[in-house]
Amino acid sequence: MIKVSDLYKNFADLEVLKGVSAHIRQGEVVVVVGPSGSGKSTFLRCLNYLEQPTGGEIVFEGTVLSNSQVNINRVRQEMGMVFQQFNLFPHMTVTKNVALSPMKVKGMGEAEAVELAHSLLGQVGLADKVDAYPGQLSGGQQQRVANARALAMEPKVMLFDEPTSALDPEMINEVLDVMKDLAHKGMTMVVVSHEMGFAREVGNRVIFMDEGRFVEEGSPEEIFTNPQNPRTQAFLSKIL
Amino acid sequence: MVLQVIKWSYAIKVLPNLLRGTVITIKLALLGVIAGIIIGTIVGLIRVNRTKILYQLATVYVEVIRGTPMLVQLVLFFYGLPQIIGYRMEPFTAAFITFGLNSGAYTSEIVRGGIQSIDRGQMEAARSLGMSYFQAMWYIVLPQAFRRILPPLGNEFIILLKDTALASTVTLQEMMRVGQIQMARTGQPFPVYVMAALIYLVMTLPLSQGVRWLERRMGAGDQGL
Amino acid sequence: MLKTKNCLALGLVLLLVLGILAGCGGPSEPVDLDEEENGVEENGGEELVLLEEGVLKAAFNADFPPFEMRDENDVLCGFDYDLMNELGKIMGYEVHFDDVPFDGIFAGLGTAYDVVISGVTINDERLLTMDFSDPYFDAGQVIVVRKGYDGIAGEEDLPGKKLGVQIGTTGQDVLTDMEEIADDDILVYDNYPLAFIDLVNGGSDAVVCDVPVAKTEAKRNDKVELVSEEPFTVEFYGIAVAKGNSKMVEELNAALAQVKESGVYDELLVKWFVEYEGEE
């Protein structure tokens, strides 16, 4: 579904991605782990071109993203993204947050879009908050709204950028439950996370990343119980 | 030494004339600020977006307008331009263009600051949903920026309202010129100008109250608009 | 809560100010008439009092060639300038000049300067608020148009045309007093040079001004001409002094008479209206 080959990304003089390649298949849940500053968020943000790669290639469903003919807005409709800070639109109700892009990007009618929003908010357990503003919600609730908002575009893949790191510990489970549910429904997901529990339970593959490179990858079982690379071992011993 | 006696009755006598000038003052200020908002939004967006040539043009515009006195621009437009291009604008047109351009330059900086004060994540979230740059600007960034822009925009309108007095120099009979004419004819500057100042105050005080109210509301948080 | 309080305070302030205005407007007029009469009597026999001892402070607006202007070195000069210096010499004072915008020039009379000598036409309206010396110059109003323009042959053609004047001048008063001329047709400029520029630019059809101003402009600006050199009104310039300052009027008139008698006055006329060609 997504094929990444030899991806480079520099910020001015700083080389953040140093030639990473990956193949993400339909229905797969890939969890990217690694120390902070290893480039995992940048990798994720390159996938939907929020960051433009300095070199290398990304092919999504047969479309080469670096091609200037490609309408990147089209591509992004099929790649939902949930941000670390959620980035909800504070001036709109939760319903409007979810319904806006189906209306403005897909041209969906308002009644239909609101119905869709209510249904998605119901699925993430927020049926009673549809008229609230983001500022009135807890972190976990905001995170779930961000999920619903991304799902409203009916994406083929969901990208999660540290979805639980801005949350208080007692809210992490409600969010992970929503993500597990999504994974069980067959959604292709790329998740940058420290949640080893989640990676173990629903991840098909774990990629360990360090200093801009993919150091090691394999099934959660392999990576967590029997890491081969000393850097992976060092990292895991610190957080497990 | 013989002090001139101040005749306060003149203040009432010149009131109807001053009020007629006030209508032109308000018209000029309103049209000026509307033109300013349109120009300022476009130029502000250009300066945020940083498309090379447009950005440089916009920067030159803002710097030239802000760096030269409005009176000089006004006199150049009205008295100077006809000698070069052979076309003379009506006084109101010349004043409207000058005030629109000025208000546009200052407003563009207000707009730019407002947009840049909105978290980058808002633009990214909108783009990640498939919105175009302009959709993201229009539906997500500008509405939030607008709330922060409103109070300084109100102040800009108050400044513009007072600056319309400069239009007297191109024969436009706004309130200041009416006052000058009445004063020249009566020889009584005090009652005439006190009256004019009062009318300006009656217009600007509710405006600044409104700006303060907006600022307070804004401080209350981001819920709703 | 806060809002109501603010509105109340604002209302109070406005009421107060308006109250002061009303209070002053009503009874003040009869009172100040008394004061003026008293002033005249008290001043009558006494010595002339100047704002600054030994110095006669005069004001004009140096934008009115050839009466008052600045030469190429930005130095004040003109007919009024020379005349006032001659009068000062006779009266025994040093003369200091202030360059003041014409529209506010009378406000400082008696407070910032002793006299105004700025091509000021003596008229009834002005006589209500100030006193004048004897006339020192005959300056009727004439009409200036773009060269070759034939839409105006005399004052009867003025109604319906766009007419330029300098703010606060006799020209403005004359046009305002002509009932057939609509107020909107009178374009009021900060000074005559701007009025003539806009005439050339096509903003007005004619400029109405004093004879010497018109002649000087026509001499240096070949794009304009006088409809006729014969004035259509009778105007006299006088030196304005604060209302009631009869001692000053007396001394000025004595000095004026002496200047005319000695021939100095005629020398100045020749200097500024025959020899002077105008700058630019």
Side-chain angles (χ1 to χ4, degrees):
Chain A
M1 179 173 258
I2 306 177
K3 219 173 152 144
V4 180
S5 25
D6 209 20
L7 199 66
Y8 282 85
K9 175 66 188 177
N10 301 343
F11 291 106
D13 289 339
L14 187 67
E15 208 172 27
V16 179
L17 296 182
K18 301 169 184 168
V20 299
S21 302
H23 188 191
I24 291 142
R25 291 169 203 88
Q26 173 99 40
E28 208 180 11
V29 176
V30 176
V31 181
V32 184
V33 298
S36 55
S38 60
K40 47 193 198 303
S41 276
T42 305
F43 166 68
L44 194 76
R45 290 160 60 85
C46 280
L47 291 182
N48 69 349
Y49 257 58
L50 279 184
E51 304 290 355
Q52 204 161 344
T54 319
E57 197 174 71
I58 298 168
V59 182
F60 175 66
E61 298 258 278
T63 310
V64 182
L65 300 193
S66 56
N67 188 334
S68 60
Q69 308 289 310
V70 169
N71 181 350
I72 194 66
N73 298 331
R74 264 274 146 69
V75 175
R76 285 183 183 139
Q77 292 175 35
E78 314 210 303
M79 293 178 157
M81 186 162 191
V82 177
F83 296 85
Q84 189 174 2
Q85 302 293 337
F86 327 129
N87 299 350
L88 295 182
F89 308 137
H91 59 303
M92 296 173 174
T93 62
V94 164
T95 300
K96 191 87 192 287
N97 261 274
V98 180
L100 185 73
S101 50
M103 284 165 64
K104 301 305 174 189
V105 178
K106 286 187 168 171
M108 192 183 278
E110 183 170 357
E112 199 187 338
V114 167
E115 201 182 317
L116 171 70
H118 285 175
S119 141
L120 285 167
L121 288 167
Q123 284 174 33
V124 297
L126 292 171
D128 55 335
K129 297 287 186 190
V130 291
D131 292 325
Y133 283 93
Q136 298 164 322
L137 301 181
S138 72
Q141 290 169 330
Q142 290 191 35
Q143 209 278 354
R144 285 183 276 154
V145 174
N147 258 309
R149 182 176 69 178
L151 288 171
M153 292 302 286
E154 298 176 317
K156 292 181 178 157
V157 55
M158 286 281 280
L159 313 176
F160 290 87
D161 188 2
E162 311 220 12
T164 55
S165 69
L167 295 179
D168 293 336
E170 68 269 24
M171 292 173 179
I172 290 175
N173 277 332
E174 62 183 75
V175 166
L176 290 181
D177 285 344
V178 167
M179 288 173 64
K180 279 177 206 164
D181 189 39
L182 200 56
H184 291 140
K185 282 177 182 160
M187 176 63 78
T188 312
M189 293 161 72
V190 181
V191 185
V192 168
S193 178
H194 288 131
E195 288 301 322
M196 298 307 156
F198 172 81
R200 238 184 245 266
E201 199 174 327
V202 296
N204 301 108
R205 191 147 50 105
V206 172
I207 298 174
F208 175 70
M209 205 176 167
D210 193 21
E211 293 183 354
R213 290 196 178 86
F214 288 174
V215 173
E216 188 170 359
E217 63 175 287
S219 71
E221 203 54 35
E222 290 164 1
I223 298 286
F224 291 134
T225 54
N226 191 18
Q228 301 299 310
N229 191 294
R231 289 201 304 216
T232 319
Q233 291 164 359
F235 174 70
L236 290 173
S237 71
K238 258 182 261 165
I239 60 164
L240 281 177
Chain B
M1 188 168 86
V2 184
L3 267 169
Q4 213 176 5
V5 181
I6 295 167
K7 296 207 170 80
W8 286 106
S9 58
Y10 278 117
I12 307 300
K13 243 186 248 170
V14 299
L15 187 58
N17 281 321
L18 284 178
L19 288 177
R20 228 172 298 134
T22 312
V23 174
I24 295 178
T25 294
I26 292 174
K27 215 166 103 184
L28 190 58
L30 266 182
L31 287 176
V33 90
I34 289 170
I37 289 173
I38 295 169
I39 297 173
T41 306
I42 295 170
V43 173
L45 281 171
I46 289 173
R47 302 234 312 155
V48 170
N49 192 17
R50 292 180 167 262
T51 314
K52 264 235 167 81
I53 301 167
L54 280 177
Y55 175 81
Q56 279 161 357
L57 276 176
T59 305
V60 167
Y61 157 71
V62 171
E63 294 304 330
V64 167
I65 295 288
R66 292 203 315 170
T68 53
M70 217 194 298
L71 186 60
V72 172
Q73 300 161 16
L74 188 59
V75 171
L76 270 178
F77 273 127
F78 185 70
Y79 293 108
L81 216 52
Q83 307 199 326
I84 297 165
I85 62 167
Y87 172 75
R88 175 190 176 273
M89 282 177 261
E90 284 304 306
F92 190 88
T93 314
F96 166 65
I97 290 176
T98 309
F99 291 126
L101 284 178
N102 265 278
S103 175
Y106 286 97
T107 305
S108 77
E109 286 298 275
I110 295 172
V111 169
R112 187 169 74 121
I115 290 174
Q116 284 173 343
S117 75
I118 303 302
D119 179 34
R120 261 184 65 203
Q122 291 290 311
M123 174 58 95
E124 287 181 349
R127 296 304 304 273
S128 78
L129 290 164
M131 284 188 222
S132 69
Y133 176 82
F134 286 103
Q135 280 178 318
M137 240 337 153
W138 187 252
Y139 295 113
I140 305 302
V141 178
L142 280 180
Q144 294 181 58
F146 185 67
R147 293 163 40 88
R148 299 183 191 185
I149 286 170
L150 217 49
L153 212 56
N155 284 328
E156 169 62 20
F157 181 62
I158 292 170
I159 293 169
L160 192 70
L161 189 73
K162 292 185 292 173
D163 280 348
T164 53
L166 290 174
S168 60
T169 203
V170 294
T171 76
L172 198 64
Q173 300 218 359
E174 44 65 66
M175 195 182 359
M176 184 66 192
R177 176 50 39 121
V178 172
Q180 288 171 332
I181 290 172
Q182 294 303 321
M183 200 268 288
R185 283 180 73 82
T186 58
Q188 290 281 326
F190 217 72
V192 175
Y193 285 147
V194 165
M195 201 41 144
L198 269 179
I199 298 176
Y200 278 118
L201 259 182
V202 164
M203 293 191 288
T204 53
L205 276 180
L207 281 170
S208 45
Q209 289 288 312
V211 167
R212 223 161 302 148
W213 179 77
L214 276 172
E215 277 168 348
R216 270 205 306 275
R217 252 199 73 156
M218 229 197 66
D222 268 328
Q223 267 90 58
L225 200 81
Chain C
M1 266 315 286
L2 208 61
K3 222 167 65 183
T4 341
K5 239 168 71 188
N6 282 348
C7 285
L8 264 175
L10 181 62
L12 266 173
V13 170
L14 285 180
L15 262 178
L16 241 154
V17 180
L18 284 172
I20 294 167
L21 281 181
C24 296
S28 67
E29 262 181 300
V31 173
D32 63 25
L33 274 178
D34 288 349
E35 278 172 4
E36 278 167 32
E37 279 165 26
N38 288 341
V40 172
E41 275 171 60
E42 279 171 21
N43 249 336
E46 285 177 16
E47 280 293 292
L48 175 60
V49 182
L50 293 171
L51 291 169
E52 195 183 322
E53 220 184 289
V55 175
L56 186 62
K57 288 190 168 175
F60 56 39
N61 176 21
D63 239 334
F64 196 65
F67 286 90
E68 38 269 326
M69 58 199 161
R70 289 171 185 276
D71 66 14
E72 59 270 38
N73 300 319
D74 211 31
V75 175
L76 294 169
C77 63
F79 179 81
D80 284 347
Y81 179 85
D82 286 352
L83 178 65
M84 199 62 226
N85 276 324
E86 292 298 333
L87 297 179
K89 242 185 260 169
I90 294 166
M91 293 160 78
Y93 307 117
E94 198 180 321
V95 182
H96 284 185
F97 289 92
D98 270 340
D99 186 4
V100 181
F102 197 75
D103 58 13
I105 202 163
F106 300 117
L109 202 48
T111 55
Y113 27 82
D114 301 296
V115 300
V116 172
I117 178 162
S118 192
V120 182
T121 302
I122 306 168
N123 62 27
D124 290 346
E125 204 167 349
R126 287 193 179 129
L127 279 167
L128 290 175
T129 53
M130 62 194 88
D131 287 341
F132 280 98
S133 70
D134 289 336
Y136 69 89
F137 200 87
D138 179 357
Q141 296 295 300
V142 288
I143 303 162
V144 181
V145 293
R146 281 183 299 281
K147 198 163 264 179
Y149 177 76
D150 58 4
I152 296 173
E155 62 167 309
E156 63 282 356
D157 294 327
L158 292 180
K161 302 289 195 300
K162 292 277 179 198
L163 306 168
V165 291
Q166 173 178 322
I167 189 164
T169 56
T170 309
Q172 187 192 349
D173 290 345
V174 167
L175 294 184
T176 308
D177 292 341
M178 288 170 75
E179 276 170 16
E180 324 81 83
I181 294 176
D183 275 354
D184 286 346
D185 285 341
I186 305 172
L187 304 178
V188 183
Y189 298 87
D190 289 353
N191 51 51
Y192 269 118
L194 287 179
F196 286 119
I197 290 172
D198 207 30
L199 173 67
V200 172
N201 288 345
S204 63
D205 300 312
V207 168
V208 171
C209 59
D210 302 331
V211 177
V213 177
K215 282 189 174 168
T216 308
E217 183 67 20
K219 222 186 273 179
R220 69 176 178 187
N221 182 350
D222 59 9
K223 291 183 180 127
V224 301
E225 63 186 2
L226 279 70
V227 167
S228 160
E229 296 206 354
E230 204 52 46
F232 67 92
T233 59
V234 181
E235 311 288 347
F236 292 101
Y237 290 169
I239 302 167
V241 304
K243 187 87 184 153
N245 195 351
S246 51
K247 185 75 190 161
M248 177 68 89
V249 172
E250 220 172 84
E251 288 204 17
L252 283 172
N253 286 344
L256 262 176
Q258 207 176 316
V259 166
K260 283 185 178 171
E261 230 166 79
S262 67
V264 172
Y265 181 86
D266 289 333
E267 281 170 25
L268 291 181
L269 281 184
V270 172
K271 177 180 174 189
W272 290 107
F273 299 102
V274 182
E275 290 172 353
Y276 177 70
E277 288 289 337
E279 304 295 333
E280 292 160 60

